[in-house]
Amino acid sequence: MKKVFVLGLIIVFAVCASGFAIADNANTLKANEKKAWENACTVFPAEHRLNVQQFKELYDRVMAGQEDAYLVDLRTHPEFYAAHIPGTEHIHAGHMYTFPKKIKNKDAKIVLWCRTHKRGAYVGERLAQYGYTNLWWYKDGIVGWIKAGYPLCNQFMGLFKVTEYHKYFSGKYKEGPKKGQEKDPYRIREFHPY
């Protein structure tokens, strides 16, 4: 009986100790990510951090040929192909190593953005390590562009505007009809990514 009791105490102690270690690891990882984020943000001085209005003004100048800049969307390929800002560049954040092959001038003006802001800062930090000297960060991302009411495009629909944005769309059209309601004509899909 004593052996079982001692064994039980050892197991309880081991489980508690591992729980504390896991919590400590999680706290360490969270603190380190915060430091990494702060370091990534230092790449962009305040005057190189654009809000949606500043980005739109720059975008208009670039599209009119009045200013030269690379406007680079860092979102994934499916995100970009679903909808993107017309006339902009695309390099997936996971393929940041291709920047030196695509943009050979280290002093070129490069404006980075993603869905919101995280990938833009992290990629910018890496590009600064590569030696790029004129990096800009559009912090509001595609979400800011959408919320400001500016148009997007894709190869299937041309130009369009999003009337309502949700990170995780949960409207009535996603769920399909409730029991007893009229059928939704889009309920059956051969391929549906959601």
Side-chain angles (χ1 to χ4, degrees):
M1 185 71 176
K2 286 183 182 181
K3 290 181 182 180
V4 171
F5 179 73
V6 170
L7 181 61
L9 282 176
I10 291 171
I11 291 171
V12 168
F13 176 76
V15 168
C16 289
S18 68
F20 289 126
I22 290 169
D24 186 48
N25 285 339
N27 290 336
T28 300
L29 291 173
K30 189 173 182 176
N32 287 343
E33 195 281 330
K34 184 178 179 183
K35 287 178 196 172
W37 171 249
E38 290 167 356
N39 287 338
C41 291
T42 64
V43 168
F44 304 97
E47 64 273 8
H48 283 220
R49 298 177 187 201
L50 305 173
N51 63 33
V52 69
Q53 290 80 21
Q54 294 165 323
F55 178 73
K56 178 65 164 82
E57 290 168 8
L58 173 63
Y59 170 82
D60 289 341
R61 290 191 308 272
V62 170
M63 292 300 119
Q66 299 167 347
E67 188 168 341
D68 192 25
Y70 291 95
L71 308 177
V72 184
D73 187 331
L74 299 168
R75 296 173 305 137
T76 64
H77 298 297
E79 288 175 295
F80 182 82
Y81 291 131
H84 57 275
I85 299 170
T88 59
E89 314 289 345
H90 177 243
I91 297 178
H92 181 308
H95 299 162
M96 70 182 96
Y97 59 87
T98 65
F99 268 86
K101 294 175 191 170
K102 305 287 184 188
I103 303 174
K104 299 184 185 314
N105 178 0
K106 71 177 184 65
D107 299 318
K109 185 172 191 173
I110 302 172
V111 183
L112 305 169
W113 77 90
C114 53
R115 188 181 66 81
T116 53
H117 59 276
K118 286 280 189 177
R119 289 174 273 187
Y122 285 126
V123 170
E125 179 183 33
R126 182 55 52 128
L127 296 183
Q129 292 173 356
Y130 291 171
Y132 289 103
T133 62
N134 195 7
L135 299 169
W136 294 70
W137 182 24
Y138 166 43
K139 291 177 43 171
D140 294 336
I142 197 84
V143 172
W145 184 268
I146 290 168
K147 288 180 177 180
Y150 297 128
L152 300 169
C153 69
N154 70 24
Q155 67 185 31
F156 303 107
M157 297 188 298
L159 283 177
F160 61 92
K161 289 184 181 181
V162 175
T163 57
E164 187 176 345
Y165 172 81
H166 299 282
K167 181 176 180 182
Y168 301 107
F169 184 71
S170 61
K172 66 179 181 177
Y173 300 108
K174 179 178 181 182
E175 303 299 325
K178 303 290 184 228
K179 189 174 181 177
Q181 289 180 335
E182 193 174 314
K183 281 199 169 232
D184 178 345
Y186 302 106
R187 186 159 185 209
I188 297 174
R189 295 183 174 111
E190 183 177 2
F191 171 75
H192 188 24
Y194 305 112

